[in-house]
Amino acid sequence: MLLTITTNHQPATDLGYLLHKHPDKCQSFPLSFGTAHVFYPEKSEQRCTVALLLDINPVELVRGKSRADRGEGTLAHYVNDRPYVASSLMSVAISRVFRTALSGRCDNRPKLVERAIPLTVKIPVLPCRGGQSFLRQLFEPLGYWVEGERLPLDPTFPEWQDSVYLAATLHNTVRLCDLLSHLYVLIPVLDDDKHYWVGDEEVNKLLRHGEGWLNIHPMKEAIAQRYLKRQRKLTRIALTQLTEDSLDLNEAHEIQAEEEEAIEKPISLNQQRMEMVVKTLQQHQVKRVIDLGCGEGKLLSYLLKHKSIEQITGVDVSYRALEIAKKRLRLDELPFHQQDKIQLIQGSLIYRDRRFNDYDAATLIEVIEHLDRDRLTALEKVVFEFAQPRLLLVTTPNIEYNVRFESLPAGKLRHQDHRFEWTRQEFQDWGNKVADRFNYQVTFQGIGDQDLEVGTPTQMAIFTNHIVKQ
Ligand code: SAH
């Protein structure tokens, strides 16, 4: 079973540094199911190819398996395609033999390791359950140019037609560590099988090696399902985590947040929003407040300045956002009495969480528009039915006002991650409906400069609930 990786990035022999394998050597690595050999069939300044060859011992593959697992009474475990095709065995070999390269470390070439370089992968026999189009669907969204040549089942019997195997070539300009992660995850997905038992740890592996690309991959459901051998529970856990990751504040998101601010800047809307929220909290004599979806902690920094507020909690699903919040608020440097006053917790607003209980007020500032409809419904239950703050402030953009933002192209929402932006009527319809459903009263207020025709840029709902919790 063979896989080669070629580059013409010059000097091409730097591939040896990136892989931590010297181009002049042929090295062998014992694995539980056979031996992996690494060598360079071509190496020059202009072009360099590394080969990973697996010599698999079919008997070793069967050793240690239970009789049932072996498929009692059949020879299938001894006579099969495993020694000849790229499968999960190849993924294991990649992770063992190219462990450091896969993790993206190269002390000798620290700049190169971060660079996208032209790479071509050839896999002469790749089982492709789902055919060539599935191969394309997996690799093309990651920027690969894909070639797949179907291999006949047996050239002497053309009437037997093609096999499920392809001779695949993949080209991309990509960091080597990313390419190895893509192969590590997607080869077993194409094969739709694994040679070992798949348990909880497999979810972690998928999330670790899929970091940065799987959460935005259009085929992430199919990938998770096949990678986890169609185990429903594991797939569900992985997909939930991946979907939440896609809401994470990644760098793109941060840039967009800055863009959103820039759009809204001429009227320093953020400041007006925060001041209005704090003022409303004070009017209601709030002492303990939880900021749901606190992001980088903008509101928290305002709340910290107010003595009347005694306890502040910020919650966000994004660990990265919380880390930024922690830095911005300089939590480590706060005086002792202030440190007790504020805490940041990671949590999801669509799952019931006792940590959200027992606050005088909760705030959802520019959060709801980041949630798909069914998730918003889950959030409504979590906040109104379970956490039940006596005061809840929800702010969201007023889409009618968008025409007044000169830098925002017509028809575009203020932030790429917004799932919707509502008119005043839509927001009020939603507010009235949830207030009705969960026994709250609601009033609405505009935030920012009032335009006669289109209203204010931000809208706020003030939900109150005077029913004492059981
Ligand atoms: N309230 C902040 C951030 C608004 S951006 C501000 O006004 O600046 C929306 C935030 O909601 C992001 O930080 C995002 O990570 C968070 N978020 C989105 N969905 C979430 C969920 N299901 N659970 C918790 N936080 C979520």
Side-chain angles (χ1 to χ4, degrees), residues 67-103:
R67 290 163 75 91
D69 263 1
R70 282 207 298 261
E72 200 51 33
T74 74
L75 277 175
H77 268 83
Y78 296 98
V79 184
N80 55 43
D81 65 0
R82 300 294 89 181
Y84 316 106
V85 309
S87 70
S88 55
L89 300 169
M90 183 59 92
S91 297
V92 171
I94 289 174
S95 72
R96 299 277 157 80
V97 175
F98 298 139
R99 182 193 299 267
T100 319
L102 184 63
S103 70

Side-chain angles (χ1 to χ4, degrees), residues 247 249 274 293-295 298 316-318 321 347-350 365-367 370-371:
L247 296 168
L249 280 192
M274 297 306 157
C294 63
K298 285 189 201 136
D316 207 284
V317 74
S318 161
S348 170
L349 305 177
I350 56 173
I365 308 305
E366 309 294 285
V367 172
H370 289 266
L371 280 92

Side-chain angles (χ1 to χ4, degrees), residues 244 247-249 253 270 273-274 291-299 315-318 321 347-350 364-367 369-371 375 379 395 415 417:
E244 295 197 349
L247 296 168
D248 248 25
L249 280 192
H253 190 117
N270 181 53
R273 192 154 51 215
M274 297 306 157
D291 186 23
L292 303 169
C294 63
E296 299 168 10
K298 285 189 201 136
L299 177 63
V315 185
D316 207 284
V317 74
S318 161
S348 170
L349 305 177
I350 56 173
L364 276 166
I365 308 305
E366 309 294 285
V367 172
E369 63 275 12
H370 289 266
L371 280 92
R375 292 179 159 243
L379 174 142
T395 75
H415 189 298
D417 188 48

Side-chain angles (χ1 to χ4, degrees), residues 7 11-23 40 48 50 106:
T7 188
T13 42
D14 273 0
L15 186 61
Y17 285 108
L18 291 178
L19 289 168
H20 298 256
K21 299 285 172 286
H22 199 291
Y40 290 77
C48 184
V50 66
C106 181

Side-chain angles (χ1 to χ4, degrees), residues 91-192:
S91 297
V92 171
I94 289 174
S95 72
R96 299 277 157 80
V97 175
F98 298 139
R99 182 193 299 267
T100 319
L102 184 63
S103 70
R105 271 193 296 123
C106 181
D107 296 342
N108 261 309
R109 293 290 184 276
K111 290 222 174 83
L112 187 57
V113 82
E114 285 304 327
R115 254 184 85 173
I117 57 172
L119 292 166
T120 300
V121 178
K122 281 187 190 279
I123 308 174
V125 191
L126 179 66
C128 228
R129 284 164 241 280
Q132 198 155 345
S133 66
F134 189 56
L135 175 71
R136 289 226 151 86
Q137 286 171 328
L138 292 189
F139 281 95
E140 282 179 350
L142 298 167
Y144 289 83
W145 187 69
V146 178
E147 284 173 284
E149 188 196 330
R150 271 227 175 267
L151 300 173
L153 210 48
D154 188 327
T156 43
F157 298 100
E159 64 276 19
W160 289 0
Q161 297 185 346
D162 287 339
S163 65
V164 294
Y165 307 110
L166 292 178
T169 307
L170 311 164
H171 309 269
N172 199 359
T173 300
V174 61
R175 295 189 310 173
L176 180 67
C177 57
D178 294 333
L179 174 123
L180 292 174
S181 302
H182 299 154
L183 295 175
Y184 177 90
V185 172
L186 297 178
I187 287 176
V189 166
L190 283 161
D191 187 29
D192 203 7

Side-chain angles (χ1 to χ4, degrees), residues 209-256:
H209 292 291
E211 199 181 335
W213 59 272
L214 187 53
N215 60 344
I216 46 174
H217 197 294
M219 297 292 283
K220 67 179 172 193
E221 278 90 5
I223 293 172
Q225 213 177 48
R226 283 184 172 214
Y227 188 89
L228 298 165
K229 272 193 148 176
R230 296 174 201 273
Q231 292 198 47
R232 284 226 196 115
K233 186 173 147 237
L234 298 184
T235 308
R236 206 179 56 235
I237 295 172
L239 286 174
T240 308
Q241 189 68 39
L242 282 172
T243 313
E244 295 197 349
D245 281 355
S246 68
L247 296 168
D248 248 25
L249 280 192
N250 51 32
E251 272 171 43
H253 190 117
E254 278 162 38
I255 293 165
Q256 285 161 23

